[in-house]
Amino acid sequence: MTSGLPPTDLPAGHPPLARSTLDRAAHRRTDPQWLADAWQRARVLLVDVANGGRTLVGSVGDKPELILLGPDAARDSAPGARLFLGVEPDGVPVFAVDAPLPELAGTRPANLREVGHLLSDRDAGLFTTAVALANWHARHLYSSLTGLSTAVGDAGWSRRDEAGNQLWPRTDPAMIVLVHDGVPGPGGRCLLGNNAAWRSERGLRRYSCLAGYVEPGESAEDAVVREVTEEVGLVPHHIGYVASQSWPFPGSLMLGFFALADPERPIRLDPAEIAHAGWFSRRDIAAVLAGEAVEVGDGLRLALPPPSSIALFLIRSWLEDAR
């Protein structure tokens, strides 16, 4: 039996959606003449926000790659709808446009969750930025300050309402933590939880790292302590930052941490947040990643987070650091 988890050869140290080769060229965002000229020679990434932020991908061997089109593919788009992403290493500018996807032979629609971990560094950076930016625009058609309608400014990097108030893209910080026992070797254990909102499917129950939004006036480290204590009743310590990545569903920045906790302490679940939680050994995790079945009760098998998530990156990093 398999875990249903697609393989990935993502190198250690790089969360899947934290890779990019793009120069954002922010100084060009307020230069309308340069932007108009750039559009004529641009590569354009179409993103269909209304249908889950999908774009077109083709394949090189067994790896997907983004299909970027010429400006004629979005010739009906207004200049204000063209989101300037940046300039590629070869000097070609790239724009994103929120639009329905055309049917092109040899391509298929895909979303970032499905293919983000399989894309090249270049494509992962383009797709992540485009989805994050397009989602923000789709959700901010009106000003939270005045209630007035807003229009795109700064080549996609701001919106302005009818009174002249300017809004900038927002990213919500959220912490995500792999709590473990600090024990080296295959017997070392990590704590994973099953969110109360997740349904078990195909005989699998998905477990992941604990996570939550950073509250106003709170540090990310304090959020780790608060969320773990609230969700499972354990107080983590020796909290250490690992890495971050965008999670534009619709607009979060996931701040990844490791922390220690005592597995001998009782787990006390917050049932509104966590339905199940438990400690899993490196041996268990390695087995699931190898496609083997690990039972979690109720006739269900352990499933891990999706490959594009920083949660799986943290789990893999802990697994590999078995010293």
Side-chain angles (χ1 to χ4, degrees):
M1 293 184 179
T2 67
S3 68
L5 187 69
T8 176
D9 56 2
L10 192 73
H14 297 82
L17 305 186
R19 300 173 292 133
S20 180
T21 62
L22 190 68
D23 175 3
R24 296 193 173 213
H27 62 290
R28 298 296 192 184
R29 297 172 185 171
T30 55
D31 187 339
Q33 185 59 58
W34 185 91
L35 291 166
D37 294 341
W39 175 256
Q40 301 305 316
R41 57 189 180 88
R43 297 180 180 121
V44 179
L45 182 63
L46 298 182
V47 175
D48 189 351
V49 172
N51 285 293
R54 300 189 302 173
T55 194
L56 292 177
V57 298
S59 296
V60 175
D62 59 351
K63 293 286 189 180
E65 67 169 8
L66 298 185
I67 301 299
L68 280 82
L69 307 172
D72 284 349
R75 60 180 177 271
D76 296 331
S77 64
R82 301 165 186 169
L83 312 178
F84 173 58
L85 302 185
V87 178
E88 298 235 58
D90 62 1
V92 178
V94 183
F95 289 78
V97 174
D98 178 5
L101 303 180
E103 293 186 8
L104 298 178
T107 72
R108 63 180 177 89
N111 65 42
L112 188 59
R113 292 178 192 262
E114 295 173 62
V115 301
H117 63 294
L118 298 173
L119 295 173
S120 66
D121 291 357
R122 176 254 196 181
D123 283 3
L126 287 176
F127 199 5
T128 302
T129 302
V131 171
L133 199 55
N135 277 345
W136 179 76
H137 282 287
R139 294 167 63 90
H140 290 80
L141 302 179
Y142 297 90
S143 169
S144 60
L145 297 173
T146 64
L148 298 172
S149 61
T150 60
V152 178
D154 294 337
W157 292 91
S158 73
R159 295 187 73 91
R160 192 182 301 271
D161 71 13
E162 297 164 5
N165 297 296
Q166 199 165 9
L167 311 173
W168 287 271
R170 301 298 300 269
T171 296
D172 298 321
M175 73 83 208
I176 183 165
V177 59
L178 183 70
V179 177
H180 64 96
D181 61 3
V183 175
R189 292 179 288 173
C190 68
L191 176 68
L192 301 176
N194 168 255
N195 191 288
W198 297 341
R199 296 177 59 185
S200 299
E201 297 179 348
R202 303 189 305 276
L204 301 173
R205 177 184 291 155
R206 177 156 55 99
Y207 284 77
S208 186
C209 304
L210 302 180
Y213 286 106
V214 179
E215 294 187 343
E218 184 177 49
S219 71
E221 292 82 358
D222 284 346
V224 170
V225 175
R226 176 181 54 77
E227 287 285 350
V228 174
T229 304
E230 290 176 353
E231 292 186 351
V232 296
L234 300 178
V235 180
H237 56 93
H238 288 78
I239 298 163
Y241 174 75
V242 180
S244 67
Q245 77 166 22
S246 174
W247 194 243
F249 309 111
S252 298
L253 174 66
M254 304 303 298
L255 306 170
F257 293 86
F258 286 151
L260 297 180
D262 183 356
E264 300 306 317
R265 303 284 295 180
I267 294 174
R268 295 189 300 274
L269 299 180
D270 175 1
E273 296 284 343
I274 304 295
H276 307 273
W279 292 89
F280 298 92
S281 70
R282 284 191 177 88
R283 193 177 293 106
D284 294 330
I285 300 301
V288 173
L289 291 173
E292 301 173 15
V294 172
E295 301 295 329
V296 292
D298 302 322
L300 299 173
R301 293 170 284 119
L302 172 63
L304 295 175
S308 290
S309 68
I310 194 173
L312 188 62
F313 171 81
L314 291 172
I315 292 170
R316 283 182 175 274
S317 298
W318 169 78
L319 178 65
E320 293 168 4
D321 185 18
R323 298 184 301 276

